[in-house]
Amino acid sequence: MLLISCPNCGSRDETEFHYGGQAHVPYPENPNELTDRQWAEYLFYRDNTKGAFAERWLHSTGCRQWFNMLRDTVTYDIQAIYPMGTPRPDAAGQLTVETGTASLAPDSTTTGTAAPSTSGTSISGTSTTPASTTAPEGATK
């Protein structure tokens, strides 16, 4: 069982999350000009990487927000968790230039200024401050 650190709610059991597939799959610029084969490849063909892989996840029973995760598909080691619309970090945690899958507009439901700050969160669990036993503001009990 995985322990996933939601950027909004903190560490939770993997049963609270739903896998959303490969992250950073750009939408075609002119979908009406694609052949049936090209459209099928966009919809159904995904990488099957052994090692570090960027994935989309939804915290379905918590904050209901989408986020991206960089996870090793062999060891299940979670290497990074980052907001939708931001570039994919490399294996060392450094951001790389790549297009995101979400809108960067402030009124977006998955990104922008509406989401709580994640600057104080840590996915490694090595925080020096004691863990709080109360749910974050706005979370359901």
Side-chain angles (χ1 to χ4, degrees):
M1 186 85 39
L2 290 175
L3 184 63
I4 298 175
S5 180
C6 173
N8 302 312
C9 304
S11 295
R12 301 289 194 266
D13 187 79
E14 79 174 294
T15 58
E16 291 190 17
F17 299 88
H18 280 98
Y19 177 75
Q22 181 178 350
H24 309 291
V25 177
Y27 191 79
E29 282 188 37
N30 298 313
N32 292 334
E33 296 176 4
L34 296 179
T35 65
D36 288 344
R37 170 83 181 175
Q38 292 170 324
W39 186 248
E41 286 177 4
Y42 164 72
L43 290 176
F44 304 112
Y45 286 45
R46 296 293 180 255
D47 294 337
N48 189 13
T49 304
K50 183 176 183 179
F53 188 65
E55 307 168 330
R56 298 180 309 153
W57 285 83
L58 171 67
H59 191 181
S60 56
T61 63
C63 62
R64 297 182 182 183
Q65 295 295 309
W66 285 93
F67 60 91
N68 291 330
M69 178 189 306
L70 187 63
R71 183 178 64 87
D72 190 301
T73 58
V74 177
T75 64
Y76 294 95
D77 180 43
I78 298 172
Q79 298 170 351
I81 293 178
Y82 54 103
M84 295 290 285
T86 60
R88 176 189 186 267
D90 62 11
Q94 300 296 322
L95 293 179
T96 58
V97 178
E98 190 171 318
T99 58
T101 58
S103 169
L104 294 175
D107 61 345
S108 171
T109 57
T110 57
T111 61
T113 57
S117 171
T118 59
S119 61
T121 60
S122 170
I123 63 167
S124 64
T126 59
S127 175
T128 57
T129 58
S132 174
T133 57
T134 59
E137 183 181 335
T140 57
K141 293 183 180 182

